[in-house]
Amino acid sequence: MKPNINSNIAIIGVPLDLGAGTRGVNLGPDAIRYAGVEERLKNIGYNVEDLGDIPVNRSQAVTEPNSNLKNLNVISEVNSLLSEKVFSVMSEGKFPLVLGGDHSIAIGTISGVLKYKKSLGVIWFDAHGDINTPETSPSGNIHGMPVAVLLGLGDKSLTKIVGENNFLKKENIVYIGSRDLDSGERKAMKEQGITVFTMHEIDDMGIKKVMEEAIKIAGDNTDGIHVSFDMDALDPSIAPGTGTKVPGGMNYREAHYALELIAKSEKLVSAEFVEVNPLLDNANMTGKAAAVLVGSLMGEWLI
């Protein structure tokens, strides 16, 4: 039985791995598809349309000399196309479910939602902060920068995708499962005053209390909640197929229960699942985990 949210789902794949330091997450959308995500959603009771993939011209990728923004031109192009596609899907009355790809695609997904939902709460499941700018990034990999871009910080060719009047409000962003933050990210999170529930808070408070607070922060006085789920939020024993594995992540039931509570809130308006790398996986274990998590988020657990 599905919760009382949009009955029509549009799946959008984004086979982009140029924002990451390890190749292979471009295969992630198909790995989640092969794991049966569409059939799972149909069995819950949704009308599902797979719109295929956003085109990625990998051969055109260029990193300018002395730039700390790797492959900026193609990443900007892909996110611009994705933003337009997400807005179009929502304008047609459909729920956008975006399958990545590396986490830089959140720029396109969330900017597209923001064109339709002006006040958006975001629950960001991730081992990392993804709030670096070119000045603070230790790697130049743009998958570590999307939250900063969505707040209006960083390179103009990326922030313009979001638009000056569409940036996220820092008070409506919540991190879940953080456990590997570099110094620039810690500083940015403190300066912005963003709510962060690290694995320490999950251990200390329990996932129920953490999620109740997260849903309140992201859902109160907003037009809905977007879920951005990086598979490295999970412990590598559950999700080995991701390029930035960090031990000590969320366990199976914590992750599912967290998404079940979001489903139960009936405030969900959009979602993306990213960083599935089949080249690092074991028998598509991580792709299958993503498909099952999508089910929990969309109400598969409800009787």
Side-chain angles (χ1 to χ4, degrees), residues 40 229-231 234 238 251-252 254-257 259-260 273 286-300:
R40 186 174 294 273
F229 200 103
D230 187 320
M231 294 302 289
L234 301 176
I238 304 168
N251 65 34
Y252 183 89
E254 284 172 336
H256 282 279
Y257 185 67
L259 298 181
E260 288 164 5
F273 285 76
T286 308
K288 292 174 183 175
V292 177
L293 286 168
V294 169
S296 287
L297 180 64
M298 303 308 292
E300 185 176 31

mmCIF file of all heavy atoms in Angstrom, residues 40 229-231 234 238 251-252 254-257 259-260 273 286-300:
data_model
loop_
_atom_site.group_PDB
_atom_site.id
_atom_site.type_symbol
_atom_site.label_atom_id
_atom_site.label_comp_id
_atom_site.label_asym_id
_atom_site.label_seq_id
_atom_site.Cartn_x
_atom_site.Cartn_y
_atom_site.Cartn_z
ATOM 1 N N ARG A 40 9.284 -3.097 -8.709
ATOM 2 C CA ARG A 40 8.999 -2.914 -7.281
ATOM 3 C C ARG A 40 8.000 -1.772 -7.074
ATOM 4 O O ARG A 40 7.039 -1.900 -6.310
ATOM 5 C CB ARG A 40 10.308 -2.625 -6.539
ATOM 6 C CG ARG A 40 10.175 -2.557 -5.023
ATOM 7 C CD ARG A 40 11.537 -2.409 -4.381
ATOM 8 N NE ARG A 40 12.359 -3.583 -4.574
ATOM 9 C CZ ARG A 40 12.341 -4.638 -3.773
ATOM 10 N NH1 ARG A 40 11.528 -4.666 -2.723
ATOM 11 N NH2 ARG A 40 13.116 -5.670 -4.016
ATOM 12 N N PHE A 229 20.026 10.493 -1.577
ATOM 13 C CA PHE A 229 20.599 9.342 -0.877
ATOM 14 C C PHE A 229 21.853 8.849 -1.591
ATOM 15 O O PHE A 229 21.793 8.265 -2.676
ATOM 16 C CB PHE A 229 19.581 8.198 -0.782
ATOM 17 C CG PHE A 229 19.897 7.206 0.309
ATOM 18 C CD1 PHE A 229 19.197 7.211 1.503
ATOM 19 C CD2 PHE A 229 20.906 6.264 0.135
ATOM 20 C CE1 PHE A 229 19.496 6.307 2.519
ATOM 21 C CE2 PHE A 229 21.214 5.358 1.127
ATOM 22 C CZ PHE A 229 20.513 5.379 2.325
ATOM 23 N N ASP A 230 22.992 9.104 -0.958
ATOM 24 C CA ASP A 230 24.275 8.579 -1.421
ATOM 25 C C ASP A 230 24.465 7.212 -0.779
ATOM 26 O O ASP A 230 24.374 7.070 0.443
ATOM 27 C CB ASP A 230 25.402 9.527 -0.997
ATOM 28 C CG ASP A 230 26.752 9.162 -1.576
ATOM 29 O OD1 ASP A 230 27.080 7.964 -1.635
ATOM 30 O OD2 ASP A 230 27.507 10.092 -1.951
ATOM 31 N N MET A 231 24.747 6.199 -1.583
ATOM 32 C CA MET A 231 24.831 4.839 -1.061
ATOM 33 C C MET A 231 25.978 4.649 -0.080
ATOM 34 O O MET A 231 25.998 3.669 0.666
ATOM 35 C CB MET A 231 24.932 3.845 -2.207
ATOM 36 C CG MET A 231 23.674 3.775 -3.073
ATOM 37 S SD MET A 231 22.165 3.351 -2.153
ATOM 38 C CE MET A 231 22.490 1.616 -1.784
ATOM 39 N N LEU A 234 25.449 4.089 3.776
ATOM 40 C CA LEU A 234 25.354 2.750 4.342
ATOM 41 C C LEU A 234 26.737 2.223 4.701
ATOM 42 O O LEU A 234 27.756 2.623 4.127
ATOM 43 C CB LEU A 234 24.706 1.793 3.341
ATOM 44 C CG LEU A 234 23.305 2.136 2.851
ATOM 45 C CD1 LEU A 234 22.879 1.123 1.794
ATOM 46 C CD2 LEU A 234 22.320 2.161 3.993
ATOM 47 N N ILE A 238 27.103 -3.547 3.638
ATOM 48 C CA ILE A 238 25.801 -3.601 2.964
ATOM 49 C C ILE A 238 25.898 -3.081 1.542
ATOM 50 O O ILE A 238 25.231 -3.579 0.638
ATOM 51 C CB ILE A 238 24.758 -2.762 3.737
ATOM 52 C CG1 ILE A 238 24.645 -3.232 5.181
ATOM 53 C CG2 ILE A 238 23.395 -2.797 3.056
ATOM 54 C CD1 ILE A 238 23.855 -2.276 6.047
ATOM 55 N N ASN A 251 23.220 0.852 9.285
ATOM 56 C CA ASN A 251 22.959 -0.553 9.006
ATOM 57 C C ASN A 251 21.659 -0.689 8.205
ATOM 58 O O ASN A 251 20.974 0.298 7.918
ATOM 59 C CB ASN A 251 22.942 -1.385 10.285
ATOM 60 C CG ASN A 251 21.807 -1.030 11.236
ATOM 61 O OD1 ASN A 251 20.704 -0.673 10.814
ATOM 62 N ND2 ASN A 251 22.061 -1.135 12.532
ATOM 63 N N TYR A 252 21.330 -1.913 7.850
ATOM 64 C CA TYR A 252 20.193 -2.180 6.973
ATOM 65 C C TYR A 252 18.891 -1.619 7.531
ATOM 66 O O TYR A 252 18.157 -0.896 6.861
ATOM 67 C CB TYR A 252 20.076 -3.697 6.760
ATOM 68 C CG TYR A 252 18.984 -4.117 5.805
ATOM 69 C CD1 TYR A 252 19.223 -4.223 4.440
ATOM 70 C CD2 TYR A 252 17.704 -4.418 6.266
ATOM 71 C CE1 TYR A 252 18.233 -4.617 3.557
ATOM 72 C CE2 TYR A 252 16.699 -4.810 5.393
ATOM 73 C CZ TYR A 252 16.966 -4.901 4.047
ATOM 74 O OH TYR A 252 15.967 -5.283 3.178
ATOM 75 N N GLU A 254 18.400 0.579 10.027
ATOM 76 C CA GLU A 254 18.424 2.026 10.237
ATOM 77 C C GLU A 254 18.068 2.764 8.955
ATOM 78 O O GLU A 254 17.263 3.703 8.967
ATOM 79 C CB GLU A 254 19.808 2.465 10.727
ATOM 80 C CG GLU A 254 20.093 2.144 12.178
ATOM 81 C CD GLU A 254 21.528 2.409 12.558
ATOM 82 O OE1 GLU A 254 22.405 2.406 11.668
ATOM 83 O OE2 GLU A 254 21.789 2.603 13.762
ATOM 84 N N ALA A 255 18.666 2.347 7.841
ATOM 85 C CA ALA A 255 18.409 3.012 6.565
ATOM 86 C C ALA A 255 16.956 2.842 6.137
ATOM 87 O O ALA A 255 16.292 3.810 5.737
ATOM 88 C CB ALA A 255 19.345 2.462 5.494
ATOM 89 N N HIS A 256 16.451 1.630 6.225
ATOM 90 C CA HIS A 256 15.071 1.399 5.799
ATOM 91 C C HIS A 256 14.084 2.113 6.721
ATOM 92 O O HIS A 256 13.110 2.711 6.247
ATOM 93 C CB HIS A 256 14.780 -0.102 5.742
ATOM 94 C CG HIS A 256 15.342 -0.753 4.525
ATOM 95 N ND1 HIS A 256 14.715 -0.716 3.306
ATOM 96 C CD2 HIS A 256 16.505 -1.417 4.329
ATOM 97 C CE1 HIS A 256 15.451 -1.353 2.405
ATOM 98 N NE2 HIS A 256 16.544 -1.787 3.004
ATOM 99 N N TYR A 257 14.330 2.068 8.003
ATOM 100 C CA TYR A 257 13.421 2.728 8.939
ATOM 101 C C TYR A 257 13.408 4.240 8.706
ATOM 102 O O TYR A 257 12.348 4.876 8.750
ATOM 103 C CB TYR A 257 13.831 2.413 10.375
ATOM 104 C CG TYR A 257 12.872 2.947 11.410
ATOM 105 C CD1 TYR A 257 11.579 2.439 11.514
ATOM 106 C CD2 TYR A 257 13.252 3.952 12.288
ATOM 107 C CE1 TYR A 257 10.695 2.922 12.470
ATOM 108 C CE2 TYR A 257 12.377 4.444 13.238
ATOM 109 C CZ TYR A 257 11.098 3.924 13.331
ATOM 110 O OH TYR A 257 10.223 4.400 14.273
ATOM 111 N N LEU A 259 13.885 5.831 5.893
ATOM 112 C CA LEU A 259 13.110 6.130 4.688
ATOM 113 C C LEU A 259 11.629 5.821 4.891
ATOM 114 O O LEU A 259 10.763 6.508 4.338
ATOM 115 C CB LEU A 259 13.677 5.352 3.502
ATOM 116 C CG LEU A 259 15.122 5.706 3.134
ATOM 117 C CD1 LEU A 259 15.577 4.891 1.933
ATOM 118 C CD2 LEU A 259 15.293 7.194 2.866
ATOM 119 N N GLU A 260 11.339 4.820 5.675
ATOM 120 C CA GLU A 260 9.936 4.522 5.996
ATOM 121 C C GLU A 260 9.273 5.691 6.719
ATOM 122 O O GLU A 260 8.113 6.035 6.449
ATOM 123 C CB GLU A 260 9.868 3.255 6.848
ATOM 124 C CG GLU A 260 10.176 1.985 6.073
ATOM 125 C CD GLU A 260 10.493 0.806 6.981
ATOM 126 O OE1 GLU A 260 10.389 0.953 8.225
ATOM 127 O OE2 GLU A 260 10.852 -0.263 6.466
ATOM 128 N N PHE A 273 18.911 8.651 -5.932
ATOM 129 C CA PHE A 273 19.813 7.667 -5.338
ATOM 130 C C PHE A 273 21.066 7.631 -6.194
ATOM 131 O O PHE A 273 20.980 7.443 -7.416
ATOM 132 C CB PHE A 273 19.136 6.293 -5.267
ATOM 133 C CG PHE A 273 18.109 6.199 -4.178
ATOM 134 C CD1 PHE A 273 16.857 6.796 -4.342
ATOM 135 C CD2 PHE A 273 18.380 5.559 -2.984
ATOM 136 C CE1 PHE A 273 15.898 6.740 -3.342
ATOM 137 C CE2 PHE A 273 17.437 5.492 -1.975
ATOM 138 C CZ PHE A 273 16.192 6.084 -2.145
ATOM 139 N N THR A 286 24.942 -3.589 -4.219
ATOM 140 C CA THR A 286 24.616 -2.189 -3.926
ATOM 141 C C THR A 286 23.468 -1.699 -4.791
ATOM 142 O O THR A 286 22.614 -0.936 -4.320
ATOM 143 C CB THR A 286 25.870 -1.315 -4.117
ATOM 144 O OG1 THR A 286 26.950 -1.890 -3.367
ATOM 145 C CG2 THR A 286 25.632 0.110 -3.637
ATOM 146 N N GLY A 287 23.422 -2.125 -6.045
ATOM 147 C CA GLY A 287 22.283 -1.787 -6.892
ATOM 148 C C GLY A 287 20.992 -2.348 -6.338
ATOM 149 O O GLY A 287 19.944 -1.684 -6.334
ATOM 150 N N LYS A 288 21.047 -3.591 -5.848
ATOM 151 C CA LYS A 288 19.866 -4.205 -5.246
ATOM 152 C C LYS A 288 19.462 -3.473 -3.966
ATOM 153 O O LYS A 288 18.273 -3.253 -3.713
ATOM 154 C CB LYS A 288 20.144 -5.676 -4.933
ATOM 155 C CG LYS A 288 20.308 -6.539 -6.179
ATOM 156 C CD LYS A 288 20.735 -7.951 -5.812
ATOM 157 C CE LYS A 288 20.977 -8.800 -7.053
ATOM 158 N NZ LYS A 288 21.502 -10.149 -6.690
ATOM 159 N N ALA A 289 20.451 -3.068 -3.172
ATOM 160 C CA ALA A 289 20.149 -2.319 -1.947
ATOM 161 C C ALA A 289 19.458 -1.001 -2.283
ATOM 162 O O ALA A 289 18.498 -0.599 -1.603
ATOM 163 C CB ALA A 289 21.436 -2.052 -1.161
ATOM 164 N N ALA A 290 19.920 -0.328 -3.346
ATOM 165 C CA ALA A 290 19.287 0.936 -3.749
ATOM 166 C C ALA A 290 17.839 0.718 -4.166
ATOM 167 O O ALA A 290 16.950 1.485 -3.781
ATOM 168 C CB ALA A 290 20.079 1.564 -4.897
ATOM 169 N N ALA A 291 17.583 -0.338 -4.937
ATOM 170 C CA ALA A 291 16.219 -0.613 -5.391
ATOM 171 C C ALA A 291 15.281 -0.893 -4.220
ATOM 172 O O ALA A 291 14.137 -0.420 -4.188
ATOM 173 C CB ALA A 291 16.219 -1.793 -6.361
ATOM 174 N N VAL A 292 15.765 -1.635 -3.243
ATOM 175 C CA VAL A 292 14.949 -1.947 -2.070
ATOM 176 C C VAL A 292 14.723 -0.696 -1.217
ATOM 177 O O VAL A 292 13.627 -0.479 -0.679
ATOM 178 C CB VAL A 292 15.602 -3.073 -1.240
ATOM 179 C CG1 VAL A 292 14.803 -3.349 0.029
ATOM 180 C CG2 VAL A 292 15.697 -4.349 -2.057
ATOM 181 N N LEU A 293 15.737 0.152 -1.115
ATOM 182 C CA LEU A 293 15.585 1.401 -0.369
ATOM 183 C C LEU A 293 14.568 2.325 -1.041
ATOM 184 O O LEU A 293 13.788 3.004 -0.362
ATOM 185 C CB LEU A 293 16.935 2.109 -0.237
ATOM 186 C CG LEU A 293 17.912 1.490 0.755
ATOM 187 C CD1 LEU A 293 19.301 2.101 0.578
ATOM 188 C CD2 LEU A 293 17.438 1.675 2.197
ATOM 189 N N VAL A 294 14.582 2.362 -2.369
ATOM 190 C CA VAL A 294 13.558 3.129 -3.087
ATOM 191 C C VAL A 294 12.176 2.636 -2.679
ATOM 192 O O VAL A 294 11.257 3.425 -2.426
ATOM 193 C CB VAL A 294 13.745 3.018 -4.616
ATOM 194 C CG1 VAL A 294 12.532 3.599 -5.343
ATOM 195 C CG2 VAL A 294 15.004 3.745 -5.059
ATOM 196 N N GLY A 295 12.018 1.324 -2.606
ATOM 197 C CA GLY A 295 10.742 0.763 -2.187
ATOM 198 C C GLY A 295 10.316 1.240 -0.815
ATOM 199 O O GLY A 295 9.167 1.644 -0.615
ATOM 200 N N SER A 296 11.238 1.233 0.137
ATOM 201 C CA SER A 296 10.905 1.704 1.485
ATOM 202 C C SER A 296 10.517 3.177 1.490
ATOM 203 O O SER A 296 9.575 3.580 2.176
ATOM 204 C CB SER A 296 12.092 1.483 2.432
ATOM 205 O OG SER A 296 12.229 0.112 2.747
ATOM 206 N N LEU A 297 11.238 3.984 0.716
ATOM 207 C CA LEU A 297 10.947 5.407 0.644
ATOM 208 C C LEU A 297 9.566 5.668 0.055
ATOM 209 O O LEU A 297 8.883 6.628 0.436
ATOM 210 C CB LEU A 297 12.012 6.126 -0.180
ATOM 211 C CG LEU A 297 11.844 7.631 -0.341
ATOM 212 C CD1 LEU A 297 11.946 8.349 1.004
ATOM 213 C CD2 LEU A 297 12.883 8.190 -1.308
ATOM 214 N N MET A 298 9.140 4.799 -0.857
ATOM 215 C CA MET A 298 7.869 5.003 -1.550
ATOM 216 C C MET A 298 6.725 4.218 -0.924
ATOM 217 O O MET A 298 5.631 4.154 -1.478
ATOM 218 C CB MET A 298 8.022 4.654 -3.023
ATOM 219 C CG MET A 298 9.115 5.439 -3.745
ATOM 220 S SD MET A 298 8.997 7.243 -3.550
ATOM 221 C CE MET A 298 7.513 7.567 -4.478
ATOM 222 N N GLY A 299 6.947 3.609 0.259
ATOM 223 C CA GLY A 299 5.835 3.040 1.011
ATOM 224 C C GLY A 299 5.621 1.557 0.869
ATOM 225 O O GLY A 299 4.563 1.051 1.229
ATOM 226 N N GLU A 300 6.616 0.831 0.399
ATOM 227 C CA GLU A 300 6.456 -0.607 0.199
ATOM 228 C C GLU A 300 6.170 -1.337 1.530
ATOM 229 O O GLU A 300 5.522 -2.373 1.544
ATOM 230 C CB GLU A 300 7.723 -1.173 -0.425
ATOM 231 C CG GLU A 300 7.628 -2.641 -0.794
ATOM 232 C CD GLU A 300 8.894 -3.108 -1.494
ATOM 233 O OE1 GLU A 300 9.985 -2.576 -1.207
ATOM 234 O OE2 GLU A 300 8.793 -4.008 -2.351
#
